[in-house]
Amino acid sequence: MEIRSIGVLGAGQMGGGIAQVAAAAGYDVVLADASLEFAQKGRAKIDAILGKQVDKGKMQADARTALVERIKPAAGPADFSSCDLVVEAATENVELKTKLFRACDEAMKPGAILASNTSSISLTKLAGATKRPERVIGMHFMNPPPLMKLVEIVRAVQTSDETYAAVRAAAEKMGKTCTVSNDAPGFLVNRILIPMLCEACFALQEGVGTAEDIDTGAKLGLNHPMGPLELSDLIGLDTVLAIADVLHRDIGDDKYRAPTLLRNLVAAGWLGKKNGRGFYVYDASGAKTVAKKS
Ligand code: NAD
């Protein structure tokens, strides 16, 4: 089946980025969140990001207008009835995603595909909550979606070959390179990444070194473009913790346990760059100001 219109559920940092890359590839996009107001804010953020591209001479003003006009804000899953593909990108929580999958399944036309951008939650379980299990798949974009080249496609046990082929073609039309993984906690990328991010947090918690030295060590010693603590702040500490808890619970090995410091930062509401404070403190422009003491 050919995909022409795409719904995105969740207009946060990932959903907004996915809507942007889908619209840039020429798809008509319906962008929904928990309310129309949240979806409108998501679209306004995309417009502001593209405005900076125009100011820098990297994008034509009319291309920006055309791209943003292809994105229609919506109040929720009920507005996905015309979409060929919906990518769910709401908060990483299995109960929420199950509820949203049922609502999308109800609203979507027969034959349309329901994908999740989940970082760790079982696609097989989400597929089982719908009446279209063979049309459910993982479409794991990386952060930020407009810049990162990879889409990790995750096949649920029930995913059909036709669904996989259609989603892969859509990801490639968005300029992405795909990897494929079977449905296992954290899939491939987060199975590798999250234990490293947690280990950096354990090192900080134990006083082995400062946040700056941990991040500088990874950047200059391992050739990573970002240190693990600043990357955790970019991802969102709530998301890192949610993924770590899925890995720990579903694999059942204590090596995946989350550090107390990470749990405490999330409990304090310090979620990272998205709300101004995590391992580091950020100013209104998103620039890092000071390191938080452990
Ligand atoms: P975020 O906190 O920036 O955005 C989550 C969005 O979900 C918010 O806009 C929120 O309003 C919305 N939401 C909450 N409840 C909702 C509901 N009932 N109906 C509709 N929308 C609702 O989080 P994010 O970083 O964009 O993460 C979203 C998803 O993408 C998660 O599954 C996460 O694991 C995954 N992901 C995140 C990253 C990352 O680096 N942050 C990378 C890859 C995948």
Side-chain angles (χ1 to χ4, degrees):
M1 69 170 291
E2 202 200 337
I3 290 164
R4 292 168 199 272
S5 60
I6 297 184
V8 179
L9 183 57
Q13 55 175 343
M14 292 306 295
I18 294 165
Q20 184 185 323
V21 293
Y27 290 109
D28 291 323
V29 178
V30 178
L31 177 62
D33 203 288
S35 69
L36 181 60
E37 192 196 343
F38 286 175
Q40 283 165 335
K41 274 191 188 153
R43 190 173 88 147
K45 198 167 167 202
I46 297 166
D47 191 34
I49 290 167
L50 296 178
K52 285 187 191 149
Q53 302 280 326
V54 173
D55 293 345
K56 288 181 194 159
K58 292 183 178 169
M59 189 179 205
Q60 298 290 327
D62 52 356
R64 167 197 180 184
T65 308
L67 191 160
V68 174
E69 278 177 359
R70 277 199 288 279
I71 303 174
K72 302 261 175 302
D79 292 297
F80 291 145
S81 58
S82 65
C83 297
D84 302 313
L85 165 69
V86 168
V87 184
E88 172 278 316
T91 310
E92 186 76 350
N93 174 292
V94 67
E95 287 81 24
L96 175 69
K97 286 189 190 289
T98 305
K99 193 181 93 183
L100 294 177
F101 256 57
R102 289 203 178 106
C104 289
D105 189 31
E106 281 291 306
M108 289 163 64
K109 61 188 176 190
I113 296 173
L114 180 50
S116 177
N117 187 51
T118 178
S119 303
S120 61
I121 291 168
S122 166
L123 272 310
T124 302
K125 214 182 266 180
L126 292 175
T130 72
K131 295 191 182 81
R132 62 181 79 224
E134 70 289 349
R135 292 194 181 82
V136 169
I137 194 162
M139 202 176 180
H140 185 206
F141 288 82
M142 305 292 135
N143 186 12
L147 294 184
M148 299 294 280
K149 281 274 169 214
L150 182 71
V151 169
E152 182 179 37
I153 296 180
V154 185
R155 293 188 68 146
V157 166
Q158 307 95 317
T159 305
S160 69
D161 290 344
E162 193 194 13
T163 299
Y164 164 70
V167 163
R168 183 166 190 136
E172 287 174 353
K173 188 172 165 187
M174 292 181 220
K176 303 302 178 192
T177 299
C178 299
T179 56
V180 190
S181 74
N182 292 319
D183 189 16
F187 322 126
L188 286 176
V189 172
N190 284 322
R191 174 79 173 260
I192 300 166
L193 174 67
I194 297 299
M196 187 192 71
L197 301 187
C198 285
E199 204 54 44
C201 184
F202 276 119
L204 181 66
Q205 174 179 301
E206 290 165 19
V208 182
T210 63
E212 286 87 352
D213 280 347
I214 290 168
D215 281 342
T216 303
K219 283 186 282 194
L220 302 188
L222 306 175
N223 208 17
H224 290 192
M226 293 180 80
L229 300 175
E230 53 191 4
L231 178 56
S232 299
D233 274 357
L234 175 72
I235 293 170
L237 302 189
D238 52 339
T239 302
V240 175
L241 178 60
I243 302 167
D245 281 344
V246 168
L247 289 176
H248 189 201
R249 191 196 59 218
D250 290 355
I251 300 177
D253 186 329
D254 278 348
K255 80 176 176 185
Y256 296 108
R257 74 202 183 286
T260 302
L261 174 59
L262 177 63
R263 219 172 271 291
N264 280 346
L265 294 178
V266 173
W270 297 353
L271 306 183
K273 204 169 174 181
K274 66 182 166 186
N275 70 348
R277 184 166 194 168
F279 289 110
Y280 297 93
V281 178
Y282 301 86
D283 67 19
S285 74
K288 202 194 298 174
T289 54
V290 292
K292 190 204 140 297
K293 285 202 172 64
S294 66

